[in-house]
Amino acid sequence: MNQKKAFRAGFKKSLKNATVCESFLSKTRGLMFRARNYKKPLLFVWKKPGLYPIHSFFCRKFIAVWMLKGRIIDEKIVEPWKLSVTPKGKFDELLEIPLSSVGKRKI
């Protein structure tokens, strides 16, 4: 299986198993202060599309997948302690996937 197909298969599984974060508090916490072995992806949902920057303070390395109306517009591996990370364009959903949930699969 090539890398793109493997990513899409893993992405669909992550999206299905994600915890939805809609409140201000849940969006603020995100993956911060989670245990080293935390594996559950988080799905952030906004009412309006926008360019909402994220940070990675107090987080371990994770995969960020930005979507607009269900379509992927950008994805990045986010390193810890980044002040501001933004996608290529506006989005209304963000999926944060802890790398601990990926295991040895290729990304």
Side-chain angles (χ1 to χ4, degrees):
M1 183 182 301
N2 70 29
Q3 263 189 314
K4 259 192 174 170
K5 284 184 182 179
F7 174 79
R8 286 188 184 130
F11 168 75
K12 287 179 183 179
K13 183 178 180 184
S14 294
L15 190 57
K16 181 180 176 186
N17 296 327
T19 298
V20 178
C21 300
E22 293 181 287
S23 72
F24 176 77
L25 188 58
S26 65
K27 286 179 187 173
T28 302
R29 180 169 184 216
L31 289 174
M32 285 194 311
F33 307 112
R34 304 284 180 164
R36 181 176 296 246
N37 61 350
Y38 185 80
K39 296 183 181 206
K40 193 127 172 115
L42 300 176
L43 178 65
F44 300 82
V45 180
W46 285 267
K47 292 179 182 173
K48 292 182 181 179
L51 277 173
Y52 310 105
I54 63 170
H55 69 83
S56 61
F57 295 141
F58 308 104
C59 297
R60 303 201 185 285
K61 189 186 291 191
F62 64 92
I63 302 167
V65 181
W66 291 271
M67 297 168 285
L68 181 61
K69 298 180 182 174
R71 295 185 56 105
I72 297 173
I73 59 162
D74 200 1
E75 73 261 352
K76 295 179 183 177
I77 294 178
V78 180
E79 298 288 336
W81 298 102
K82 295 295 177 188
L83 177 62
S84 182
V85 181
T86 54
K88 296 175 185 174
K90 290 184 178 184
F91 64 96
D92 58 5
E93 293 178 320
L94 165 64
L95 185 65
E96 289 185 355
I97 307 168
L99 282 180
S100 60
S101 71
V102 176
K104 297 196 185 248
R105 285 186 288 164
K106 288 189 175 183
I107 303 165

